[in-house]
Amino acid sequence: MFFYKFLCNKSHNKKKYLNKKKSTKKYSPILYDRMLLWLTLSLSVIGFVMITSASLPLGESLYHDPFFFEKREICYFFITFIISFFF
């Protein structure tokens, strides 16, 4: 409705609308994709829970350490986390 009145009104001052000052708010840029970060972390946590629940008896019988596969998964997670900063 306002736009229609703006177009039909002959006595409006066009300079008033064209010379509006731009906002001077400074926004900090987001340097990463937050959604991708949260999805990656949530999938990593879900995978870690699955590895933990499925491999306790297998780790105990093969390596005499029920948390062998969890320790290995944590090492791989930190290695990929560190490598992700370089690429």
Side-chain angles (χ1 to χ4, degrees), residues 1-19:
M1 186 73 180
F2 173 75
F3 189 70
Y4 178 72
K5 287 182 182 179
F6 176 74
L7 289 177
C8 294
N9 191 0
K10 302 286 185 193
S11 64
H12 66 278
N13 187 359
K14 289 184 182 179
K15 290 183 181 179
K16 176 181 161 186
Y17 294 102
L18 296 176
N19 292 332

Side-chain angles (χ1 to χ4, degrees), residues 4-53:
Y4 178 72
K5 287 182 182 179
F6 176 74
L7 289 177
C8 294
N9 191 0
K10 302 286 185 193
S11 64
H12 66 278
N13 187 359
K14 289 184 182 179
K15 290 183 181 179
K16 176 181 161 186
Y17 294 102
L18 296 176
N19 292 332
K20 276 190 172 180
K21 290 184 179 180
K22 294 181 180 179
S23 67
T24 58
K25 292 182 181 179
K26 292 184 179 180
Y27 296 102
S28 61
I30 298 173
L31 300 177
Y32 57 90
D33 187 9
R34 290 181 183 171
M35 182 63 76
L36 181 63
L37 177 70
W38 286 113
L39 286 173
T40 304
L41 288 176
S42 63
L43 284 174
S44 296
V45 168
I46 290 170
F48 182 73
V49 169
M50 290 174 59
I51 293 286
T52 302
S53 65

